[in-house]
Amino acid sequence: MCVLFLRQRNVFFQTVPIWFNKSYRLRTGTARKWDKYDEGESVSRPGKLYSTAIDIRNTVGNVPMEWYQDYPHIGYNLDGKKIFKPIRNKDELDEFLDKMENPDYWRTVHDKTTASDIRLTDEQVDLVHRLQKGQFGDVNFNEYEPSVDFFTNEVMIHPVTNRPQDKRSFIPSLIEKEKVSKLVHAIKMGWIKPRKPKETTPQYYDLWAKEDPNAILGRHKMHVPAPKMRLPGHEESYNPPPEYLLTEEERLVWEQQDAEDRKLPFLPQKHSCLRAVPAFSRFIHERFERCLDLYLCPRQRKMRVNVNPEDLIPKLPKPKDLQPFPTTMSLVYRGHTSLVRSISASPTGQWLVSGSDDFTVRFWEVNTGRCMKTLEVGGAVKSVAWNPNPAVCLVAVCFESTVLLLNPSLGDRLVVSSTDQLITSYEPPEEDKEQAVTWALSEGPEHNKGHRLTLTHPKAVKQVVWHGKGDYLSSVMPDNSSNLQVLIHQVSKRRTQNPFRKSKGLVQCVSFHPLRPYFFVATQRYVRIYNLIKQELTKKLMTNCKWISSMAIHPGGDNLICGSYDCRLAWFDLDLSTKPYKMLRHHKKALRGVAFHRNYPLFASGADDGSVIVCHGMVYNDLLQNPLIVPVKVLKGHQITHDLGVLDVTFHPTQPWVFSSGADATIRLFT
Amino acid sequence: MGGLQKKKYERGSATNYITRNKARKKLQLSLADFRRLCILKGIYPHEPKHKKKVNKGSTAPRTFYLLKDIRFLLHEPIVRKFREYKVFVRKLRKAYGKAEWTGVERLRDNKPGYKLDHIIKERYPTFIDALRDIDDALSMCFLFSTFARTGKCHVQTITLCRRLTVEWMNYVVTSRSLRKVFLSIKGIYYQAEVLGQLITWLVPYQFAHDHPTDVDYRVMATFTEMYTTLFGFINFRLYQTLNLVYPPKLDSKAESELKAEHEEDYAMDSESYLEKLSALSASLARVVATAEEEENQLDHFPTEGEDLENMQAREKEQKEQEAQKRLFEGLKFFLNREVPRESLAFILRCFGAEVSWDKSLCIGGTYEVTDETITHQIVDRPDMDKQYINRYYIQPQWVFDSVNAKMRLPVEDYFLGTTLPPHLSPFVEEKDGDYVPPEKLKLMALQRGENPVQEEEEDDDDEEEEEEDEEEEEEEELTEEKNLKKMEDKRAQGKTLAVKVTPGKVKPWETGSAGNKVRLEQEEKAEEKRLAIMMMKKKEKYLYDKIMFGKKRTTREVNKLTAKRKAHEDASKAQKKQKKAKKQ
């Protein structure tokens, strides 16, 4: 017999509060049957709290009360009469008001089965408290009564039963005997041996006694042995030299760094004696990390480049051996007030002409730096070109849409007068052809200023170039959409022709071949070479540049250099390939001008970084030998104004001198 | 057109690699077992060249193994043992669950085990291969032998590690192959040259370990399992090369001497024997009793030119080594109880000294403190009460520094209670351009046999010279203009000193013709170099820039160290002066 306690307090509150009285106790198995508790007994008890009047027990049994949701009643009482729900249900507000106002609210429970509120009496509350504490419901129940053993532990003299013992309990077993004799026999015969104690210590022997080279697996050739641990440096010493200890700031930086970023994985420390050295707290960690490295890290053989950096520098001939070349800035021609776009030297080398954005053309004496003449023209001068024929004294100047042929009247009188004669001796042909430009002869004050011929173009002209013989002249009018970009003029016959039927792109610059009847046209990315006699395209050079700025042709005619706005200079060997023989990236900024020397194996390039780089560019007559290109001098002097440095470079026709014009409104001579 | 469409990832590199999970499935192993197998067989992942191709177009981070490696693992007998073990564990659990104790016992008796001999042979087909790879094994075994015999791993493993390390130390002592030692903050580094292989290992200081929680001891234990097997075989072979008995036995003479004392302190005979061995004070028994070690003389062959030089160099080296081996021969050391006994006894015995210690410290001490013939006593305490006149009381660093210097250093710096000179790493080999601490320079001078005792002033001069040298090195790195400026300054200084003209009046480029020439020449050279660099190819330029960057960084570091040193010395000098002033 035992006593069970209802610990399911919720159930208890919801359903049973009515029948509790002082001596309430449940018997075994009644936990589930308490519904059928004999009502009469409790009712008939004297001194009951509740009279029979409130005997409204619901007889529906243990069914969910939701089933009666839609009905006015909630069940049936003992007499089979309906139990009606209260007329008005309490809503939240009522509940709340009740909670606030009713002092007995805490001891009121709701009976679902009868849908009524019941106020617990003091005894009931007391009972609930006791049950909550885990005490017995009955106050008088003594839980510590002395226990009484059912069976005694003492051995009694009389047996429990009177049955006599079996015979088999005192006769040895035959089956066992058989088994034992079998085992004995097996032991005698040596079939069964005592169990050997297991060897726990490993046995070592000469594993490599027979080293068979053939037994080595092929995979050993592929095996990459793990790299050894790094050997410790001075800083790991327990007593390092003072310079290896970290200063306070370094220590702070070390502490704030991530473990991976740290240069040293530990803090160097100094201990005065060996006795003071503590254990290294990360010892096991480091060993474990090494283990992880050994079996989790991919291994790779890395070729360490072990080169002397000096060996990487190419062995070039010494610049000293490649003299002469310009080395120092000797003259500065000042006078222009705006950037000097273009310069050109006379074929004798005595004069220099420059065109600037301040609407003037100036003529200089090369040796003295004196400005001989200044001519005002009606626009920013884009390009000037001195006629290369020494017997003619003519300068082509282009500004806006005009090309002006000037006779500067400098130098030999005879030449000057013969030039004038040459121009005046022109006889207009019988049949007048319609031409792209209008030729006009200058007269009066303009003639006195030096103007000789004016060629009015339909569009703005960017560049003028003379042919080597000095009779032909080409002008460039960059325009992407039309075929009228390049014109070739013949001065003696005052004739103009448009060599191209189709536009192949924005023309940057043009040039004549110095010896043969070829014509070079540079568009943004390509240089096309046309044969003027056959009137066909001979070659197309891929420059690998983004935007060509300038072009120069070697006096031999077989080599060409192109400067580009993306800082490169491409050297083409026309016999070799249509791709550059060499790309030079010497300048830091866009190249503006390139030039070849007429006699010496020199070429120069000027760029926006304000420097002129002179290179030795030797071309050999032997076709098998490639040109030799050696930079020999970096000339500096121009100031950078408005992000522009050197705008044009040109060589002296006879001396190894180079002129450069810059955005700082100066022209400089390097000798 | 025509033909079958080629499918992606069915040829080429995608088929050469296998991900870890697939490999695991192919081998039918759990991840832990797969890891164990990889550790034992020395299989490591590979990094494919084109990760995306191998990963079948995905860029998810995965570990790849070579398919060949995994195929190689497929027919490894140990894999079967792993599976058997898994079954064994299952059965055991079941037996426990059913409380079948006899069954448990039976299962325990038949616990499947495996041997790693064949794996060792396969991984290291020759003895030299094995010896090359022993660094990690040594460090690991030394670490495990210091573990407490509780919890973290099997007690057998710890005792086995201890046994193997003791055997190793005995071998190194007998073969006298120790070369370098270094006291670091992590532990003590040793380097020995065994059969021509340089072997370095690290031993932690003797303290109880604070076992970290984020370390997987199973991985470490697997490594140790492999290492102990390897290590045992190597020890066996090494003992064989020296004609020693393996497992090591003490010399019969030494044994009888040791037998008398302390026998009763140890419960087990085997335990006391290991202790005696680890005391390192007695020599080992040999298989064939040879009178003395034969000196291996280099045979002389008739040689010419470079070979002759090489030969001479080798002979010299050999001689030096022989000398180093006998570094402490004839000296008698006594170790005080506060110094690390094992490491010091090991080192001193390696170089032929006699060592003893207090009887209560460890078994195997052969003489007492009171012995009058003791030459050195190693002490690591500020002061001693009772001192003998006829012996040096030195700090332990002397032993380490002497070994690294390959000569007996003067003992004055290491006396009882003096501030020790810095302890330098013997593993650093300075190339030109690297920072060399002044102590090392002094040591090198000592080794060359120069006057060891120098005035302090001279030292200072030396240092200044060094600094100048370094400055010159810097100059090379500096740009040309700076270079010129410095030169000008220097020359200007020289002028002012010699002629006594007020600076500013004399323009160096007007006066000094010789200097001018030099300057011009230098300028020219620098320009030439600059122009040549312009002509470099893109690839080479990149490499060149990288190398130069690295060089600059090293010089920067060197400068920093020099500056720090200088600052430190200035500070210490100032302190000294202050003290002097106070005294006066």
Side-chain angles (χ1 to χ4, degrees), chain B residues 203-256:
Chain B
V203 182
Y205 289 118
Q206 290 283 345
F207 287 107
H209 291 282
D210 183 15
H211 286 285
T213 48
D214 51 345
V215 162
D216 188 357
Y217 277 89
R218 282 179 304 173
V219 170
M220 302 256 277
T222 315
F223 266 103
T224 316
E225 195 183 353
M226 209 265 293
Y227 284 152
T228 46
T229 320
L230 169 69
F231 199 10
F233 286 122
I234 285 177
N235 274 349
F236 187 93
R237 176 79 177 224
L238 287 175
Y239 272 68
Q240 219 180 25
T241 56
L242 283 188
N243 274 336
L244 294 171
V245 181
Y246 189 89
K249 285 215 172 74
L250 293 176
D251 221 354
S252 51
K253 191 175 72 183
E255 200 166 353
S256 58

Side-chain angles (χ1 to χ4, degrees), chain B residues 1 41 54 58 60 64 87 191 224 269 278 296 335 375 423 503 519 526 548 578:
Chain B
M1 308 303 270
K41 295 282 280 183
V54 173
S58 149
F64 291 101
V87 174
Q191 190 172 57
T224 316
D269 213 26
S278 64
N296 283 342
L335 307 181
T375 55
H423 180 56
R519 194 193 75 175
M548 292 321 269
Q578 269 188 355

Side-chain angles (χ1 to χ4, degrees), chain B residues 59-326:
Chain B
T59 47
R62 286 210 176 92
T63 324
F64 291 101
Y65 288 85
L66 273 185
L67 189 63
K68 266 186 185 173
D69 286 350
I70 301 303
R71 285 218 190 99
F72 172 69
L73 289 182
L74 266 177
H75 41 75
E76 169 60 45
I78 282 207
V79 177
R80 218 181 58 218
K81 293 284 179 190
F82 283 169
R83 293 194 195 116
E84 272 174 24
Y85 191 80
K86 205 170 72 182
V87 174
F88 158 74
V89 169
R90 203 166 55 208
K91 280 182 182 165
L92 196 67
R93 206 185 299 133
K94 206 178 233 177
Y96 260 115
K98 290 180 177 173
E100 292 169 351
W101 307 121
T102 49
V104 167
E105 205 171 309
R106 184 178 43 87
L107 282 169
R108 278 265 163 80
D109 281 341
N110 297 326
K111 183 181 169 183
Y114 53 85
K115 282 193 161 183
L116 296 174
D117 305 6
H118 65 283
I119 289 181
I120 300 293
K121 184 75 200 271
E122 185 188 86
R123 281 183 70 173
Y124 307 104
T126 59
F127 177 59
I128 290 296
D129 285 338
L131 204 56
R132 256 179 224 148
D133 219 16
I134 205 184
D135 284 20
D136 287 311
L138 271 168
S139 298
M140 190 67 126
C141 287
F142 270 102
L143 171 64
F144 264 66
S145 64
T146 57
F147 278 176
R149 281 149 177 74
T150 46
K152 287 296 167 194
C153 58
H154 293 298
V155 177
Q156 290 100 310
T157 319
I158 295 168
T159 44
L160 180 63
C161 282
R162 175 73 188 151
R163 185 193 128 188
L164 289 169
T165 50
V166 166
E167 282 169 13
W168 170 260
M169 284 199 288
N170 270 309
Y171 168 78
V172 172
V173 166
T174 321
S175 64
R176 296 211 175 168
S177 47
L178 193 68
R179 293 286 171 270
K180 287 169 181 174
V181 282
F182 177 51
L183 290 166
S184 91
I185 50 172
K186 293 182 184 174
I188 305 175
Y189 283 90
Y190 300 92
Q191 190 172 57
E193 193 180 350
V194 179
L195 304 182
Q197 302 294 327
L198 279 179
I199 293 163
T200 319
W201 71 95
L202 172 62
V203 182
Y205 289 118
Q206 290 283 345
F207 287 107
H209 291 282
D210 183 15
H211 286 285
T213 48
D214 51 345
V215 162
D216 188 357
Y217 277 89
R218 282 179 304 173
V219 170
M220 302 256 277
T222 315
F223 266 103
T224 316
E225 195 183 353
M226 209 265 293
Y227 284 152
T228 46
T229 320
L230 169 69
F231 199 10
F233 286 122
I234 285 177
N235 274 349
F236 187 93
R237 176 79 177 224
L238 287 175
Y239 272 68
Q240 219 180 25
T241 56
L242 283 188
N243 274 336
L244 294 171
V245 181
Y246 189 89
K249 285 215 172 74
L250 293 176
D251 221 354
S252 51
K253 191 175 72 183
E255 200 166 353
S256 58
E257 274 174 25
L258 280 172
K259 197 145 209 170
E261 354 158 2
H262 298 297
E263 199 75 327
E264 67 282 0
D265 292 355
Y266 291 91
M268 280 160 71
D269 213 26
S270 61
E271 206 181 356
S272 72
Y273 207 77
L274 187 64
E275 286 291 321
K276 274 184 217 161
L277 274 174
S278 64
L280 295 170
S281 61
S283 51
L284 298 180
R286 288 172 189 271
V287 177
V288 187
T290 46
E292 267 298 300
E293 269 183 78
E294 296 160 23
E295 290 299 310
N296 283 342
Q297 286 285 338
L298 269 184
D299 289 339
H300 287 275
F301 298 103
T303 46
E304 284 174 17
E306 274 188 33
D307 282 349
L308 191 70
E309 276 176 26
N310 280 344
M311 190 77 173
Q312 278 168 349
R314 247 192 302 165
E315 253 176 60
K316 201 182 163 195
E317 207 173 288
Q318 177 98 355
K319 255 186 200 170
E320 268 180 18
Q321 243 179 44
E322 286 303 319
Q324 198 200 355
K325 276 182 189 175
R326 289 146 192 272

